[in-house]
Amino acid sequence: MSSGLFKLSFRHGIHPDEHKDQTAHRPFERMPFADRLILPLRQHTGAPCEPVVGVGAEVRRGQVLATPGGFVSTTLHSPVTGRVTALAARRHPNGQMVPSMEIDTDAYSSQRLPPASSIDWRALTLDGFIEEVQRAGLVGLGGAAFPTHVKYKLPDGRRCERLVVNGCECEPYLTSDHRTMVERPEAVVRGAEIVATMLGAKETVIGVELNKLDAIETLRRVVGEGPTRVIGLNVKYPQGAEKMLIKSIFDLEVPAGKLPIDVGIVVNNVASMAAVADYFDRGQPLIERGVTVAGPGVDRPSNLIVPVGTSVRDVLRHCGLNHETRQVIMGGPMMGMPLASLDVPILKGTSGILAFTDEVVDHTAEYACLKCGRCLEACSNLLNPARLARLARAGRWNELEMNYVMDCMECGACTYACPSGVPVVHLIRAAKTSIRKRKAKGE
Amino acid sequence: MTDHAVDSSRLYDEFVKGIWKENPVFVQVLGMCPMLAVTNSAVNALAMGLATAFVLIGSSVLVSLFRRLIPRQVRISTYIIIIATFVTVADFTLEAVVPTVHRELGAFISLIVVNCLILGRQEAFASRNPIHVALADAVGMAIGFAFALFCLGATREILGSGSLFGVSLFGENFEPWVIMVLPPGGFLMLGFILLFFNWVQQRRTLRPSRVSPATREAA
Amino acid sequence: MTQPEPHLLLRAAPFLRRGLTTPGLMTEVILALVPVILAAVYFFGVSALLVLTATTLGAVATEWLLSPVRPRGVALRDGSAILTGLILGLCLPPGLALWMAFLGGVVAIGLGKLAFGGLGQNLFNPALVGRAFLQAAFPTALTTWVPEGTITEVLSVRSGTFAAPFMQSSVDAVSTATPLGVMKFENVATPVADLLLGNSAGSLGETCGVVIIVCGVFMAWRRLFDWRIPVAILASVAAFSAVVWVFDPQASPSPAFMLGSGGLLFGAVYMATDPVTSPIAPRGVWIFGIGVGALVVLIRLWGGLPEGVMYAILLMNAATPLIDRISQPRGFGRGRAAA
Amino acid sequence: MNDLLWIFVSAMVINNFTLYYFLGLCPFFGVSGQLKTAFRLGLATIFVMLITSLCASFLNAFVLPHAPYLKLIAFIVVIASTVQFVEMLIRKLSPTLFRALGIFLPLITTNCAILFLALTQTSRDYSLVQGVSFALGAGSGFTLALVLMAGLRQEASLASVPEIVKGTALNMIIAGLLSLAFMGFAGLFSAV
C-alpha cells in the first residue's frame, strides 16, 4: 500500500466535482446490436482508411472492412455480421460529413466471432508486432484516438525504458476505464505485459487515481509480486494527460514540444491494454468498446459495451433518454464534443455519452477578465491563460507564440476555473488554429 | 480665375489650416513641452504663445528668404542657429519688458529652440515656399499654437485658481482645484481637451451618415 | 417509442464550471466591507455615512452615464462601481464636503476605469485614482481631520459637509492630526492599542485596525484576493521599518506603530489586492507586495508626506505590467525542471 | 554627500524631467510603445545627459563668462557636435553598442530635456560632480518614466479603450496618472 499514499501529483490543475457515483458501480452490460451501423472511415487521428469491400458485400463480424491509408492510420473491422448498404458521406460527431460505411445488421446471425487462434506474439519482431497492432485496428481508447501502433514505432536512437498504463480517468462522469480495471484486470495486466515485453520496457507502472480504490486493489492482486507496479495518484484534473501523468509518477517533465518517448516512456490507456490482450489472446480486433452513458438526461445511467458504429440515439434510448436533455456530449465534460445531432455513431475513441439537462448545462454569463489568476492556478501547463486569451482577442499572433500558446493542450481547466465566464480555452483554441493556418500559408 | 485669385485663396488656406485642421497641438501633437509646462495660467500661456509666434514667424521668413542659399547638408544646423538667435532676442526682450513673466517661464523660453513645431515648419514648409506663403503658414501655425496654449492655460487657471488673467471669477469662497496647476493636471487637462476634440471630430464624421437619408428625402 | 429530438445546445468544451461568478465575488467583498463601514459609522457618526453615500453615488452615476456597455445600466450589475465608491469613501476624511466626495467617485470611475475601457482594463486602482486626484486638488480639505467621535456625537455633522459645489467648506475650529502626522511632525507615537481599536484620527475606514484584520482574514479564507499581497506588504513594512528602528529607536517609529497607523492595513487589505491592477503570477505578487512595503517605508520615513500608502500602491500599479512581464509562469516542460 | 544624493533623487523622482517638467515628451510618447526600445532610448539618454553635463560645465567655466549672450547657441552647437563625435566613436569601437543605442543619439540631441539640463545646471551653479549627479538622476528618472509608460501602454493596447480616448488622449491620461503617482515622492530626503 505504501506507494499509494505518497503525494504523487503535478503542479496546478483543478478539482471538479467527480459525478462518478452514478455509474462507478454499474458493471458493463452489452448493448444490443442496432439494425444499422455507421462506420466513418476516419475514426482516428491521421489518414482515413481505404475500404476493401463494396456496397452490397456480405460481411462477417470481425472481418476487415478497410485497410490503413498510411502509417498513421489503422484498420477498420465490421462490428456485426450483415451487409454493406452504402459507402457515402455521413454525419460525423464533429459535425462534418465524412465518407462512411453503412452496414445493416443481419437480424438472424448469432453475431458470434469466428473462432481465431491466439497469436504467438513472442515470436514477432517489434516491426511485426507493430503491424499486428495496426491490423487489430487499435487506437488510444482514452479519447484522442491516436493509432496505437504509431506510439510503438520508436524514433531512431530512442529506447522505451518504461511503460505507463493510464488508469486515471480524470474526466468527471466517466467510469468506463474504472469498470474495465475492476472487471478485466487480467486483460489489462496481460496487455501491458505484451506491450512492455515487445518494447523492451524495464518497468511497467499502472497509474490510477485514488478515487478508484477498488480498481487499485484488484489490479494489485492480479499483478502480485511481478515487475509491474500499480500506483495510486492524488485525484486532480488533468492527470490523464500523458505529460501530467509522467510528472505525477516519475516527477519528470517532458520538455515542451517533445513526446514522452523522448524521455523513454510510452503511455497507454488501460482499455487499450485490454484491447491488446483481446487481440493477441483471442483474435478479437477493435470492434466494440466500453462507453459510460451518464448525466441527468438519462434515466438509467450505465456502462455499456457498444459495437463501434452504433448511433448515439440508440445508445441514449437504451439508457432512457428523457425530455429534459438540453445538451449531449461525446466524451468527457471537460474535453468532449458537443453533439448537434443524435444520429451520429459511437467511434472507437468514444469513452462516454453524457446527456445534460438545464440544471447542469453551463449558463455562466461573461464578465470582464479581472486578472484574478484563477486560470493561472488551474493551468497545469504552467501558462498564463488570462494573458493568452487577451492576446488572442487582439489577434497578436507573435506574442501568443512567445507566450507558448502552442503548448496548450486545451484541457479546459482555465475556463472551468474562470469566475468571469471568459471562454478562455475557446479563444486559445481559435488562436492556435489561426496560427497553424498562417504558418501553413506562409511556409 | 486669375493667378492672383488662386494665389490669395492658397494664402488663405495655408493661413487657416494651422488654426484648426492642422492645429499643431490638437492635431499634430507637437511642441508639448512648453505646452504643458507653462500653461498653469492664462498669462503665462499667452506670453509663451507670443514668444513662440515671434520666433516661428521670424525664422520662417528668414529661412524662406535664404532658402536657395542654404546648402542641403547643413540646413538643419542652420535652421537651429537662426531659431536660437530669435529665441535669444525673445528671451532678452521678455526679460526687459515683463520681468515677472520671464521669471515664471524660466528656462522654457530658451527651450523654444528645441520646439519641434518650429524646426518642423522650417524643414517641411518655409524652406520650400516663397516668402509670402511661408509667412501665411507661420502666422496660421503661430495663432493655432497660441490658441491651444491659451485654451489650456485658461482652463487650468479657471479650475486651478478660480481666476482668469489673475481676476477672480467665482468669489472668495471658491475652492480651487490645486491639481490643475500641478503637473498631473497639465497632462490630464490636455488629455481631456484632446478627448473633447476627438469627440467633436467623431460626431462630425458620424452626422452625415446618420442624417443623409432624411436630407435626401427632403431634397 | 418515438422520442422528441431534444433541441441541442452547441457550446464547446469544457461543459462544467466551477460555479464562481464575478458579481458573486464582488458581493462577498462588499459584505466584507460592511464591518469596516459599521466601524466608521461608530467612530465618526452620520458624517461617515454621508461621505460614503456621496462617493458611491458619484461612482454609480458615472458608470451608468458613461459606460459603453449597452443597454445602459448593465455595467452596474457586476457591482464593481459600488465597491469602488465604498472603498474610495472609506479612505476619505470624515466631514469632507460632500461635493468633493461625489467628485471623487466621478473621477475614480470616469478617469480611473472607463477611460481605459471599463472593468478589468484599468491600469490604476480606480478608488486610488479618485483619492489621489482629490488629494492633489484639495490638499487642505483632504488633510483636515476631525477627532474620532464619541457616541454622543453620532448625529453631529461638520458644517462644511454641505458646502455648495465648488465652494470651500469652512474649516471647523476642532481639527486634529493623524497619528502619522503627529509622529512625523512632533515625533510622538500613538499607542498601538489605540491604533488597533480605532481611538485615533484618520480616514473613515482606516482607524480601526482590528476590524480590518478580521475582514482581511475572512477574505483570504474565502479566497477573494491573493493572500500573498497583504502578507508581503505588511511583512516588508515591518522588516524595513524594523531595520531603521533598530539603528535609531529614538527618532523612528516602531514597526508595530508603522503597521497599525494610517491607511496601511486598509490599503494592504482592500486596495493593493485589486486583482486587475496587481500582478497575476505568485512570483510577481511577492515583488509587488514588497515594492509597496518598501515605498511606504520610504515615503513615511524620508518623504515630505506623513502617509504614503496611496502613492506606494499607485506606483506599484504602474509597475505591474513590467512585473507581470518578468514573472510569467515558465511553461510546462520549459526551463530548469524540464528533463 | 547628502547634497549629491538629494540632487540625484530630486532629479530622478521628485522633479522628474518628464512627469514634473514635461520635458522630452516627444520621445516619451513616441518611443514608449515598445518596451525594449524605450529601455534602450533611456540608456542612451542617460549617456547623452552625462556628456551634456560635462560639456556645460566646461562651457560655464571657460567660455560663457566672456560671452553670456552666446549661451543658447553655444550649448546647442557644442552638445550636438560632441554627441555626434561620440556617436562616431561608438560606431568605430563597438558596433553592438552602436546598434543598441547609437541610432538614438542624434535624436536625443534635439530633445528639450538635454538643453534644459544644461541650462538648469548653469543657473543653479552646479559643480562638476553635482552636475554629474544631476545628469545621472535626470537620465535615470527619464528612463524610469519611459519604461513604466511603455509597460502601461503595452498593457493598455490589449484593453478595449473607447474610440474617442484612443491615441494621444489616452497617453496623456496615463502620463497624468503616472505623474499623480509620482507626487508621492514630493519632499523625499529634503529633511535629511
Side-chain angles (χ1 to χ4, degrees):
Chain A
M1 272 316 274
S2 59
S3 63
L5 294 175
F6 276 120
K7 287 241 166 191
L8 293 176
S9 198
F10 55 96
R11 284 179 64 195
H12 296 180
I14 54 172
H15 298 96
D17 284 343
E18 292 172 19
H19 295 285
K20 289 189 190 256
D21 12 334
Q22 244 190 341
T23 53
H25 301 290
R26 293 188 182 270
F28 279 121
E29 295 165 41
R30 192 160 275 280
M31 167 87 193
F33 292 95
D35 295 341
R36 171 171 290 180
L37 301 186
I38 293 166
L39 297 161
L41 294 177
R42 190 168 170 180
Q43 307 193 13
H44 47 264
T45 317
C49 32
E50 291 159 359
V52 291
V53 294
V55 176
E58 302 283 341
V59 292
R60 278 173 301 107
R61 186 160 181 242
Q63 182 185 330
V64 173
L65 296 178
T67 51
F71 180 67
V72 188
S73 180
T74 190
T75 317
L76 182 65
H77 304 81
S78 177
V80 290
T81 301
R83 205 162 63 87
V84 180
T85 50
L87 191 58
R90 290 287 181 270
R91 182 79 60 196
H92 190 274
N94 69 13
Q96 291 168 341
M97 300 297 280
V98 301
S100 309
M101 201 175 271
E102 207 173 84
I103 298 179
D104 275 7
T105 309
D106 179 355
Y108 301 102
S109 165
S110 65
Q111 299 293 0
R112 191 160 293 153
L113 272 175
S117 52
S118 63
I119 297 164
D120 181 13
W121 50 272
R122 284 183 197 276
L124 295 172
T125 59
L126 181 55
D127 283 338
F129 173 71
I130 290 171
E131 257 172 56
E132 280 299 333
V133 174
Q134 189 176 24
R135 205 167 291 148
L138 291 183
V139 301
L141 297 182
F146 191 74
T148 304
H149 67 276
V150 180
K151 279 192 178 174
Y152 301 155
K153 182 78 185 171
L154 306 180
D156 285 339
R158 296 285 178 210
R159 288 165 47 84
C160 171
E161 307 284 342
R162 296 146 160 179
L163 173 68
V164 172
V165 181
N166 186 348
C168 293
E169 203 169 46
C170 57
E171 282 263 14
Y173 288 96
L174 302 187
T175 58
S176 62
D177 284 352
H178 182 184
R179 291 314 303 174
T180 304
M181 288 186 280
V182 172
E183 292 176 36
R184 309 189 60 211
E186 292 86 359
V188 172
V189 174
R190 170 82 175 150
E193 187 194 344
I194 295 173
V195 173
T197 313
M198 290 314 299
L199 293 179
K202 296 186 189 72
E203 188 186 4
T204 302
V205 179
I206 306 181
V208 186
E209 286 195 342
L210 286 167
N211 55 357
K212 296 181 262 290
L213 287 174
D214 50 345
I216 296 177
E217 221 165 276
T218 325
L219 284 172
R220 284 217 170 111
R221 212 176 301 131
V222 173
V223 166
E225 294 300 306
T228 305
R229 285 186 297 151
V230 181
I231 288 189
L233 303 164
N234 274 9
V235 182
K236 194 156 76 170
Y237 180 87
Q239 188 131 242
E242 286 185 338
K243 292 184 178 181
M244 298 308 141
L245 185 58
I246 291 170
K247 168 79 181 162
S248 288
I249 297 177
F250 303 114
D251 194 23
L252 193 72
E253 276 188 29
V254 179
K258 294 284 171 82
L259 295 169
I261 190 63
D262 292 313
V263 292
I265 296 175
V266 168
V267 183
N268 273 159
N269 172 269
V270 278
S272 302
M273 292 297 90
V276 166
D278 285 344
Y279 183 72
F280 285 96
D281 287 350
R282 298 197 279 136
Q284 179 186 335
L286 185 63
I287 52 173
E288 57 190 23
R289 63 155 302 150
V291 177
T292 301
V293 186
V298 288
D299 299 333
R300 293 182 299 280
S302 332
N303 280 303
L304 298 176
I305 303 283
V306 183
V308 173
T310 310
S311 86
V312 170
R313 185 183 302 280
D314 289 338
V315 172
L316 283 173
R317 266 186 202 161
H318 182 76
C319 299
L321 177 66
N322 60 38
H323 297 252
E324 274 95 67
T325 301
R326 289 277 291 119
Q327 189 173 43
V328 175
I329 297 153
M330 177 173 281
M334 296 303 295
M335 292 187 75
M337 241 185 301
L339 296 184
S341 156
L342 298 185
D343 296 308
V344 292
I346 300 286
L347 305 176
K348 287 179 178 178
T350 303
S351 48
I353 297 290
L354 306 178
F356 278 7
T357 56
D358 259 332
E359 281 165 61
V360 261
V361 167
D362 156 41
H363 290 297
T364 324
E366 189 179 341
Y367 291 90
C369 167
L370 296 183
K371 301 168 197 166
C372 65
R374 284 182 171 85
C375 53
L376 212 114
E377 281 173 24
C379 184
S380 56
N381 256 348
L382 310 184
L383 304 176
N384 181 346
R387 183 158 188 83
L388 291 177
R390 274 158 66 85
L391 288 170
R393 278 222 165 103
R396 304 259 197 97
W397 314 120
N398 289 339
E399 281 170 77
L400 277 163
E401 282 193 81
M402 271 157 33
N403 284 285
Y404 312 135
V405 72
M406 298 319 261
D407 287 7
C408 171
M409 57 180 175
E410 301 169 23
C411 71
C414 45
T415 309
Y416 171 83
C418 180
S420 289
V422 177
V424 189
V425 75
H426 312 64
L427 290 165
I428 293 176
R429 213 181 280 143
K432 282 172 72 178
T433 314
S434 304
I435 290 174
R436 271 193 217 105
K437 269 190 198 148
R438 289 165 60 87
K439 283 242 166 95
K441 238 185 254 167
E443 276 139 297
Chain B
M1 245 186 252
T2 63
D3 278 0
H4 179 74
V6 171
D7 211 35
S8 70
S9 82
R10 174 163 182 227
L11 275 185
Y12 177 74
D13 286 348
E14 299 295 0
F15 170 69
V16 162
K17 71 168 193 276
I19 298 175
W20 183 261
K21 208 173 76 212
E22 288 180 28
N23 187 294
V25 175
F26 296 146
V27 180
Q28 305 183 47
V29 206
L30 289 173
M32 276 180 303
C33 314
M35 178 79 208
L36 292 166
V38 302
T39 51
N40 46 17
S41 80
V43 174
N44 289 355
L46 217 53
M48 188 67 182
L50 288 178
T52 310
F54 167 72
V55 176
L56 176 54
I57 296 170
S59 44
S60 274
V61 168
L62 213 58
V63 166
S64 172
L65 205 62
F66 293 119
R67 68 183 187 279
R68 291 183 215 286
L69 300 178
I70 302 171
R72 271 197 68 73
Q73 295 83 355
V74 294
R75 66 186 194 286
I76 300 281
S77 339
T78 319
Y79 301 156
I80 290 185
I81 290 174
I82 292 176
I83 296 168
T85 315
F86 277 103
V87 171
T88 310
V89 172
D91 195 13
F92 287 138
T93 315
L94 276 177
E95 195 170 9
V97 181
V98 274
T100 41
V101 172
H102 182 265
R103 211 174 305 124
E104 284 205 29
L105 296 184
F108 287 95
I109 291 286
S110 312
L111 290 184
I112 296 176
V113 178
V114 281
N115 187 332
C116 20
L117 166 69
I118 296 178
L119 191 61
R121 286 336 282 173
Q122 311 314 321
E123 169 72 3
F125 206 91
S127 59
R128 292 162 197 203
N129 285 289
I131 187 160
H132 58 293
V133 185
L135 183 65
D137 171 75
V139 173
M141 285 291 164
I143 293 179
F145 187 71
F147 169 69
L149 280 182
F150 174 73
C151 281
L152 199 58
T155 33
R156 285 179 71 185
E157 190 183 340
I158 291 172
L159 275 177
S161 320
S163 61
L164 189 61
F165 292 111
V167 181
S168 169
L169 292 180
F170 307 108
E172 279 293 290
N173 267 333
F174 180 77
E175 174 84 43
W177 300 26
V178 182
I179 187 172
M180 284 305 160
V181 294
L182 296 175
F187 284 114
L188 294 176
M189 205 61 201
L190 183 55
F192 284 134
I193 292 181
L194 287 171
L195 209 151
F196 176 74
F197 208 81
N198 287 348
W199 184 69
V200 172
Q201 296 290 72
Q202 201 186 39
R203 287 188 55 128
R204 266 198 191 170
T205 49
L206 280 182
R207 200 174 292 148
S209 62
R210 241 186 239 162
V211 179
S212 60
T215 344
R216 224 173 286 144
E217 257 168 58
Chain C
M1 187 62 211
T2 47
Q3 286 195 358
E5 172 86 26
H7 180 72
L8 294 178
L9 196 72
L10 272 180
R11 266 180 86 158
F15 306 99
L16 298 180
R17 293 280 191 167
R18 184 156 171 201
L20 294 169
T21 62
T22 300
L25 296 178
M26 292 281 182
T27 314
E28 281 198 56
V29 177
I30 292 175
L31 280 180
L33 265 181
V34 168
V36 184
I37 294 172
L38 290 179
V41 174
Y42 175 80
F43 288 111
F44 300 107
V46 170
S47 70
L49 272 186
L50 288 174
V51 169
L52 284 169
T53 315
T55 51
T56 312
L57 272 181
V60 169
T62 313
E63 178 97 330
W64 188 82
L65 204 68
L66 294 183
S67 169
V69 181
R70 289 292 176 273
R72 226 178 255 289
V74 166
L76 290 175
R77 281 189 204 160
D78 56 45
S80 58
I82 299 176
L83 187 60
T84 301
L86 288 175
I87 290 182
L88 171 65
L90 285 172
C91 54
L92 294 177
L96 185 72
L98 294 185
W99 70 268
M100 291 181 188
F102 185 85
L103 179 72
V106 173
V107 169
I109 295 293
L111 193 63
K113 198 169 98 175
L114 294 179
F116 298 97
L119 184 61
Q121 321 275 8
N122 47 304
L123 302 176
F124 296 89
N125 184 324
L128 279 176
V129 168
R131 165 75 217 235
F133 183 91
L134 289 180
Q135 170 89 58
F138 315 114
T140 326
L142 266 277
T143 44
T144 305
W145 310 99
V146 294
E148 69 287 358
T150 45
I151 305 284
T152 52
E153 289 175 68
V154 152
L155 287 175
S156 69
V157 174
R158 276 186 65 217
S159 57
T161 303
F162 295 108
F166 302 103
M167 291 300 134
Q168 265 167 17
S169 58
S170 53
V171 180
D172 289 14
V174 205
S175 72
T176 179
T178 63
L180 277 170
V182 176
M183 182 74 211
K184 177 130 210 144
F185 303 116
E186 292 159 39
N187 203 12
V188 175
T190 313
V192 174
D194 284 350
L195 294 175
L196 290 181
L197 294 176
N199 294 328
S200 58
S203 300
L204 291 176
E206 68 182 30
T207 54
C208 190
V210 177
V211 175
I212 298 171
I213 293 171
V214 170
C215 291
V217 171
F218 168 78
M219 294 208 292
W221 170 64
R222 294 289 298 158
R223 301 204 52 217
L224 297 175
F225 60 56
D226 195 334
W227 58 271
R228 297 175 188 94
I229 295 179
V231 167
I233 294 177
L234 298 177
S236 58
V237 166
F240 291 128
S241 57
V243 170
V244 180
W245 186 59
V246 164
F247 280 103
D248 189 5
Q250 297 306 312
S252 51
S254 73
F257 175 83
M258 285 289 274
L259 287 180
S261 59
L264 184 64
L265 283 172
F266 187 78
V269 168
Y270 288 101
M271 307 225 258
T273 51
D274 173 14
V276 179
T277 53
S278 58
I280 191 166
R283 223 163 6 125
V285 164
W286 287 116
I287 301 174
F288 176 86
I290 292 170
V292 171
L295 285 170
V296 167
V297 173
L298 183 78
I299 295 175
R300 277 191 183 177
L301 297 188
W302 293 288
L305 309 163
E307 176 61 310
V309 173
M310 168 177 81
Y311 292 113
I313 298 176
L314 277 176
L315 286 165
M316 291 315 285
N317 282 168
T320 292
L322 301 179
I323 297 176
D324 260 338
R325 194 165 279 260
I326 58 167
S327 62
Q328 284 283 306
R330 65 176 163 83
F332 186 88
R334 295 184 183 272
R336 268 180 297 117
Chain D
M1 203 48 218
N2 275 340
D3 177 41
L4 287 184
L5 176 73
W6 189 79
I7 289 177
F8 178 83
V9 171
S10 158
M12 179 170 168
V13 289
I14 305 171
N15 298 330
N16 185 288
F17 267 36
T18 313
L19 298 173
Y20 189 84
Y21 286 129
F22 307 101
L23 295 165
L25 289 181
C26 300
F28 183 67
F29 289 118
V31 180
S32 57
Q34 284 293 323
L35 193 58
K36 203 183 258 172
T37 344
F39 187 63
R40 285 178 175 179
L41 180 88
L43 291 187
T45 307
I46 296 180
F47 182 71
V48 174
M49 282 188 166
L50 266 180
I51 295 179
T52 305
S53 167
L54 296 176
C55 287
S57 297
F58 168 80
L59 287 173
N60 283 334
F62 302 108
V63 182
L64 294 182
H66 311 293
Y69 50 87
L70 274 184
K71 190 165 73 177
L72 208 50
I73 295 174
F75 278 155
I76 290 182
V77 172
V78 174
I79 292 167
S81 37
T82 316
V83 171
Q84 196 82 51
F85 177 70
V86 172
E87 185 202 340
M88 289 191 301
L89 214 62
I90 293 181
R91 196 197 301 234
K92 254 283 169 349
L93 296 178
S94 164
T96 355
L97 187 65
F98 179 75
R99 265 196 300 279
L101 303 180
I103 43 170
F104 295 119
L105 295 181
L107 257 175
I108 299 167
T109 320
T110 50
N111 180 333
C112 40
I114 304 296
L115 189 58
F116 184 84
L117 182 92
L119 290 169
T120 314
Q121 187 184 337
T122 310
S123 68
R124 289 187 191 164
D125 286 328
Y126 279 159
S127 71
L128 187 73
V129 187
Q130 283 173 323
V132 167
S133 169
F134 185 55
L136 282 178
S140 33
F142 180 75
T143 311
L144 179 69
L146 197 60
V147 168
L148 286 177
M149 185 71 186
L152 290 167
R153 277 183 63 184
Q154 288 205 340
E155 191 68 17
S157 71
L158 284 176
S160 53
V161 177
E163 230 18 79
I164 59 162
V165 187
K166 257 186 198 153
T168 320
L170 180 75
N171 292 343
M172 286 295 162
I173 291 177
I174 299 179
L177 295 179
L178 200 54
S179 168
L180 197 57
F182 266 66
M183 283 181 66
F185 290 120
L188 202 60
F189 296 125
S190 55
V192 174

